[in-house]
């Protein structure tokens, strides 16, 4: 098992390697263009007809988060439906369901007097 000194040595090595790399200056015009494009795409995304619905579902989140949460819930539900046994009723060869409202009520006149 590695101890703390090994991790510190690794961090120093990575810091030194990154410090030796040369940097390329970004022209100011390119930086302005990239940031302008980002702002324009953000505004276009907010102006879509789907934006109010997404803000209602999960405020401030990107569109993939609610979709991922729904997919995760669906996967858990399917797994539970497949893996959880139904109990004693599952072993019967013929399955039938009955609801209390299917049969007429059974009572006699004067039963509760």
């Amino acid at each position: 098992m590695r101890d703390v000194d090994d991790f510190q040595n690794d961090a120093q090595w990575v810091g030194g390697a990154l410090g030796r790399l040369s940097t390329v200056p970004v022209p100011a015009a390119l930086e302005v263009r990239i940031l302008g494009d980002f702002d324009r795409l953000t505004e276009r995304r907010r102006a879509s007809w789907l934006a109010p619905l997404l803000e209602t579902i999960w405020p401030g989140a990107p569109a993939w988060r609610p979709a991922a949460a729904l997919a995760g819930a669906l996967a858990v539900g399917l797994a539970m439906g497949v893996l959880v046994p139904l109990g004693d009723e599952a072993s019967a060869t013929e399955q039938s369901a009955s609801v209390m409202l299917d049969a007429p009520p059974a009572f006699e006149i004067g039963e509760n007097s």
Side-chain angles (χ1 to χ4, degrees):
M1 185 166 167
R2 298 177 67 177
D3 58 352
V4 175
D5 293 332
D6 291 337
F7 289 115
Q8 289 175 346
N9 291 337
D10 289 345
Q12 290 172 350
W13 180 84
V14 170
L18 291 175
R20 289 189 298 271
L21 291 175
S22 62
T23 59
V24 177
V26 177
L30 177 61
E31 183 178 352
V32 168
R33 195 174 97 201
I34 290 172
L35 292 176
D37 287 346
F38 177 76
D39 291 339
R40 188 171 43 250
L41 286 174
T42 304
E43 288 301 320
R44 187 181 320 154
R45 191 174 298 133
R46 288 184 187 153
S48 73
W49 63 272
L50 193 58
L53 179 63
L54 292 176
E55 284 298 315
T56 301
I57 294 172
W58 197 327
W64 63 267
R65 280 195 181 160
L70 180 63
L74 180 64
V76 168
L78 287 174
M80 294 295 287
V82 169
L83 299 176
V84 174
L86 295 176
D88 293 336
E89 294 85 21
S91 62
T93 57
E94 183 180 331
Q95 294 182 356
S96 63
S98 62
V99 179
M100 291 296 290
L101 297 176
D102 288 345
F107 63 90
E108 294 180 13
I109 298 176
E111 179 179 314
N112 292 329
S113 25

